[in-house]
């Protein structure tokens, strides 16, 4: 065939084309990430609610605690919103991480994963794709949250734009690593209700028994003890230090290091659990 | 000896202490349909899961399209299509995007993938709904999309797990037609079903699964011959004629049964021409018939007959 390819040529060649040999892992991840993101956009209500939820938290906490705590947080960064926002960034990220696990189980339940399992692809691609899609979702969520805080609540921390972005980046890293932990849990547990409960139990006590909303010395003594061993306190403090341009010290490094370790362990456990047959 | 595209050799699968498959040995030659008949819990889905590499067998070996399902899962996966009992499509994506996704994962380029998707949407009469999210599809459309998704890679072997359960009669016949066309094009099909008529219509060979074991196999005709009869049921215009009708049918050499509740008399027959015998006998006895029907043996009849036979062998 030397001439130009005409329409009829292409038609005849599609009669029994060669077999597709399977896609490469990067293509698998790309295609599957696209799928998850598209599914997200397909239901705008979910997007709106997921963006609204942290904003509601921000309004509630800033209004409820703002006045009462004006004095005690002033030393740590001026207005309460400056103190609060880094914490909301981290907790929003963690909430988003719990959703990763639930999303994976939903896929298992509606059978799509069974179809993927019977395709010549690496199962790990499915997990990596979900993790990346969730990372993108969380990033959008956090950026909207940050912008809203600047525009609506006059968030203006001492760390300026770079400090704020640093706080956001750290929250994102924490979210990503915990997302893998929840993916690991999901691929071993495989029950939606159980995952929801685990997510709730992990979230709420840790969130309140930390430095998220009030400085540690404003907590009752026993709760101070809990908060001091609560890893969330360290993640929030690190994020807050970045935003407020406080002396960062080793806090940020250890928060990042812990996240990295969790990410690695979570990913390893998730891959193992996910590979188990149905 | 034709090439077997599905071959199992004493495949067993146990879950904990429960035996789901018990030394199942099957051979399905290229371009034929094996109907796997059995009630819920007989092991049909487990066998399909083993053959499609979703579950490893506890013992025995299985080869699909020439590849071992345990040692060469990738090769198997790129040659099979799987349509499960519950349509496994991404509800959030449109029908077209579902098919494009599968094609891309199989290794098609963007354009190729779109072309293949459109081809299948056309084939399965889903073109109008192509861009709507699958969650809005009816049961029949979803099933068609699911089947289309399993055909994207032009597989050599297709597993259909109760493909028509829950479908309306029109969709059911449509699906049968698609299966027949696929087999005509050289595809090998393993189909599970609870309906004898479905196996009868589609399958070259039938294997009956019960408690994880193959308890009978052969062509649908052989199986039916073994089960024996079809049944003629006559609803009597006047229920008071029951005794006369029974006597007339006995006189014609049949073994009729009276169903007082429905005001009907039924008798097993071996060939459809015996329908005429029934009509003539009743007519001559002056019994007026309200309604007359010939029913095929059901899966229950198959089980019953096989159970009888096993019991007889046991004695």
């Amino acid at each position: 065939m030397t001439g130009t390819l005409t329409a009829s040529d292409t038609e005849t060649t599609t009669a029994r084309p060669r077999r597709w040999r399977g896609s490469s892992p990067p293509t698998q991840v790309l295609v599957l990430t696209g799928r998850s993101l598209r599914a997200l956009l397909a239901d705008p209500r979910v997007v709106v609610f997921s963006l609204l939820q942290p904003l509601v938290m921000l309004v509630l906490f800033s209004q409820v605690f703002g006045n009462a705590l004006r004095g005690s947080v002033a030393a740590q960064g001026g207005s309460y919103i400056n103190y609060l926002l880094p914490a909301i960034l981290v907790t929003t990220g963690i909430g988003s991480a719990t959703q990763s696990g639930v999303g994976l189980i939903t896929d298992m339940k509606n059978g799509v994963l069974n179809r993927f399992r019977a395709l010549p692809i690496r199962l790990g691609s499915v997990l990596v794709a979900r993790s990346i899609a969730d990372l993108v979702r969380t990033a959008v969520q956090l950026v909207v949250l940050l912008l809203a805080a600047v525009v609506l609540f006059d968030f203006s921390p001492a760390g300026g734009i770079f400090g704020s972005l640093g706080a956001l980046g750290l929250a994102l890293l924490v979210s990503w690593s915990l997302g893998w932990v929840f993916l690991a849990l999901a691929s071993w547990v495989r029950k939606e209700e159980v995952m929801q409960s685990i997510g709730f139990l992990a979230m709420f006590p840790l969130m309140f028994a930390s430095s998220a909303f009030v400085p540690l010395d404003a907590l009752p003594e026993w709760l101070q003890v809990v908060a001091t061993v609560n890893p969330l306190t360290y993640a929030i403090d690190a994020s807050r230090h970045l935003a407020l341009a406080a002396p960062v010290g080793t806090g940020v490094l250890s928060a990042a290091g812990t996240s990295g370790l969790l990410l690695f362990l979570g990913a390893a456990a998730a891959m193992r659990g996910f590979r188990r047959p149905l | 000896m034709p090439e077997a595209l599905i071959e199992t050799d004493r495949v067993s699968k146990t879950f904990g202490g429960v035996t789901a498959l018990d030394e199942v040995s099957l051979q399905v030659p290229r371009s034929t349909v094996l109907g796997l008949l059995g009630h819920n819990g007989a092991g049909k889905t487990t066998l399909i899961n083993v053959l499609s590499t979703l579950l490893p067998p506890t013992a025995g070996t299985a080869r699909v399209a020439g590849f071992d399902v345990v040692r060469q899962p990738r090769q198997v996966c790129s040659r099979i299509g799987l349509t499960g009992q519950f349509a496994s499509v991404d509800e959030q994506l449109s029908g077209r995007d579902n098919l494009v996704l599968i094609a891309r994962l199989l290794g098609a380029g963007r354009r190729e993938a779109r072309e293949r998707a459109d081809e299948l949407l056309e084939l399965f009469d889903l073109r109008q709904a192509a861009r709507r999210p699958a969650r809005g599809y009816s049961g029949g459309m979803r099933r068609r999309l699911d089947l289309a998704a399993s055909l994207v890679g032009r597989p050599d072997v297709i597993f259909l797990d109760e493909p028509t359960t829950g479908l309306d009669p029109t969709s059911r016949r449509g699906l049968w037609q698609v299966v027949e066309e696929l087999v005509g094009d050289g595809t090998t099909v393993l189909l599970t079903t609870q309906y004898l008529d479905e196996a009868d219509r589609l399958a070259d060979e039938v294997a009956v699964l019960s408690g994880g074991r193959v308890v009978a196999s052969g062509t649908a005709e052989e199986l039916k011959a073994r089960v024996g009869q079809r049944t003629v049921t006559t609803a009597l215009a006047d229920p008071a004629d029951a005794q006369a009708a029974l006597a007339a049918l006995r006189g014609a050499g049949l073994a009729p049964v009276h169903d007082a509740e429905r005001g009907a008399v039924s008798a097993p027959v071996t060939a459809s021409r015996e329908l005429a015998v029934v009509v003539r006998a009743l007519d001559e006895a002056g019994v007026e018939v309200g309604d007359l029907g010939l029913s095929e043996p059901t899966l229950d009849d198959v089980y019953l007959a096989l159970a009888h036979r096993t019991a007889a062998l046991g004695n």
Side-chain angles (χ1 to χ4, degrees):
Chain A
M1 214 187 314
T2 47
T4 48
L5 201 65
T6 65
S8 66
D9 284 333
T10 47
E11 266 161 39
T12 49
T13 49
T14 51
R16 191 84 189 182
R18 71 191 158 77
R19 182 190 306 286
W20 292 316
R21 298 256 170 94
S23 49
S24 67
T27 308
Q28 293 164 19
V29 171
L30 191 76
V31 170
L32 289 169
T33 306
R35 164 204 169 238
S36 295
L37 289 176
R38 196 178 304 195
L40 214 64
L41 291 176
D43 203 344
R45 287 168 304 175
V46 177
V47 180
V48 170
F49 281 117
S50 72
L51 291 177
L52 227 51
Q53 202 185 341
L55 285 180
V56 170
M57 295 266 281
L58 194 63
V59 173
L60 282 181
F61 282 105
S62 64
Q63 298 311 304
V64 172
F65 294 136
N67 272 331
L69 291 168
R70 186 165 301 167
S72 63
V73 298
Q76 293 199 42
S79 71
Y80 183 60
I81 190 78
N82 289 352
Y83 178 84
L84 178 67
L85 188 80
I88 299 274
L89 286 175
V90 173
T91 54
T92 302
I94 293 174
S96 184
T98 65
Q99 287 307 307
S100 273
V102 176
L104 184 67
I105 292 179
T106 308
D107 273 355
M108 286 188 198
K109 222 170 54 179
N110 71 24
V112 184
L113 277 181
N114 276 2
R115 182 170 291 292
F116 292 162
R117 273 173 195 274
L119 286 175
I121 60 171
R122 274 179 210 277
L123 275 182
S125 303
V126 178
L127 289 177
V128 172
R130 168 152 293 281
S131 173
I132 293 178
D134 287 333
L135 184 68
V136 171
R137 178 176 54 113
T138 311
V140 171
Q141 230 177 355
L142 296 186
V143 166
V144 169
L145 185 62
L146 185 63
L147 289 178
V150 170
V151 174
L152 303 175
F153 297 94
D154 199 21
F155 173 66
S156 54
I161 185 156
F162 291 110
S164 304
L165 288 179
L168 191 148
L170 187 68
L172 206 53
L173 179 64
V174 170
S175 168
W176 197 30
S177 67
L178 282 179
W180 273 106
V181 172
F182 282 103
L183 284 178
L185 282 171
S187 56
W188 287 92
V189 173
R190 303 188 178 190
K191 287 231 167 32
E192 197 163 6
E193 299 77 14
V194 179
M195 269 316 285
Q196 298 272 22
S197 314
I198 293 178
F200 180 84
L201 280 177
M203 262 304 278
F204 276 80
L206 286 183
M207 201 162 88
F208 283 98
S210 76
S211 61
F213 308 118
V214 295
L216 281 192
D217 47 28
L219 293 172
E221 215 159 292
W222 71 272
L223 215 48
Q224 281 187 34
V225 178
V226 179
T228 330
V229 295
N230 182 353
L232 198 55
T233 298
Y234 296 91
I236 288 169
D237 282 349
S239 173
R240 185 171 286 148
H241 290 157
L242 283 169
L244 302 181
V248 255
T250 55
V252 172
L253 278 184
S254 69
T258 310
S259 296
L261 186 68
L262 276 181
L263 195 150
F264 177 77
L265 293 177
M271 299 282 178
R272 261 186 77 97
F274 198 54
R275 231 177 272 130
R276 286 184 317 151
L278 309 176
Chain B
M1 179 74 198
E3 181 195 3
L5 271 248
I6 304 173
E7 238 182 316
T8 72
D9 184 17
R10 285 164 291 158
V11 164
S12 297
K13 176 76 194 174
T14 53
F15 295 104
V18 184
T19 303
L21 291 176
D22 190 2
E23 305 212 328
V24 173
S25 296
L26 295 169
Q27 298 246 340
V28 189
R30 182 185 287 277
S31 199
T32 64
V33 180
L34 174 71
L36 207 55
L37 209 53
H39 282 310
N40 288 333
K44 303 186 303 281
T45 302
T46 307
L47 182 61
I48 286 205
N49 284 343
V50 167
L51 292 175
S52 52
T53 77
L54 297 182
L55 280 177
T58 314
T61 55
R63 296 176 77 79
V64 173
F67 296 97
D68 188 286
V69 295
V70 177
R71 283 179 293 123
Q72 298 160 302
R74 283 285 195 101
Q75 283 90 333
V76 171
C77 282
S78 60
R79 287 165 176 82
I80 62 170
L82 172 64
T83 294
Q85 238 173 88
F86 306 99
S88 42
V89 294
D90 193 324
E91 306 228 314
Q92 320 267 358
L93 297 186
S94 71
R96 188 170 188 255
D97 286 345
N98 263 293
L99 299 179
V100 170
L101 172 74
I102 305 285
R104 294 279 285 140
L105 289 175
L106 283 167
R110 275 173 221 277
R111 224 189 92 187
E112 266 182 308
R114 281 199 287 266
E115 281 168 5
R116 181 65 181 149
D118 290 336
E119 214 173 288
L120 286 164
L121 289 165
E122 184 76 46
L123 182 67
F124 284 90
D125 199 18
L126 287 168
R127 224 175 29 152
Q128 303 214 314
R131 288 170 198 276
R132 291 211 313 263
R135 74 177 104 88
Y137 283 21
S138 71
M141 287 162 74
R142 215 175 269 232
R143 210 53 89 79
R144 291 208 297 276
L145 178 61
D146 197 37
L147 187 56
S150 52
L151 296 179
V152 169
R154 300 181 180 84
D156 295 330
V157 178
I158 295 177
F159 300 108
L160 301 172
D161 196 3
E162 301 200 7
T164 63
T165 301
L167 287 192
D168 60 72
T170 317
S171 312
R172 208 162 165 234
R173 272 193 298 275
L175 202 133
W176 286 351
Q177 210 176 337
V178 170
V179 173
E180 279 163 353
E181 282 165 17
L182 286 170
V183 176
D185 285 346
T187 312
T188 307
V189 177
L190 191 152
L191 159 120
T192 77
T193 180
Q194 304 200 34
Y195 310 117
L196 202 56
D197 63 329
E198 187 161 284
D200 192 16
R201 159 89 189 250
L202 292 176
D204 299 287
E205 292 264 331
V206 176
V208 181
L209 214 55
S210 175
R213 295 176 64 88
V214 176
V215 290
S217 60
T219 64
E221 284 311 314
E222 285 168 359
L223 209 66
K224 277 206 251 176
R226 196 182 296 179
V227 177
Q229 332 75 356
R230 286 178 280 187
T231 309
V232 175
T233 305
T234 49
L236 302 172
D238 178 2
D241 282 345
Q243 290 311 318
L246 289 172
L249 293 178
R250 269 190 219 109
L254 297 170
V257 191
H258 181 210
D259 182 347
E261 208 174 297
R262 287 163 57 203
V265 171
S266 57
V269 296
T270 43
S272 37
R273 79 184 108 80
E274 284 185 90
L275 201 59
V277 175
V278 172
V279 174
R280 206 176 314 127
L282 292 176
D283 191 37
E284 280 167 9
V287 174
E288 202 183 327
V289 173
D291 197 10
L292 186 78
L294 182 68
S295 59
E296 296 285 329
T298 63
L299 181 55
D300 285 319
D301 297 329
V302 174
Y303 272 136
L304 214 60
L306 291 171
H308 274 307
R309 223 169 50 94
T310 326
L313 285 176
N315 294 336

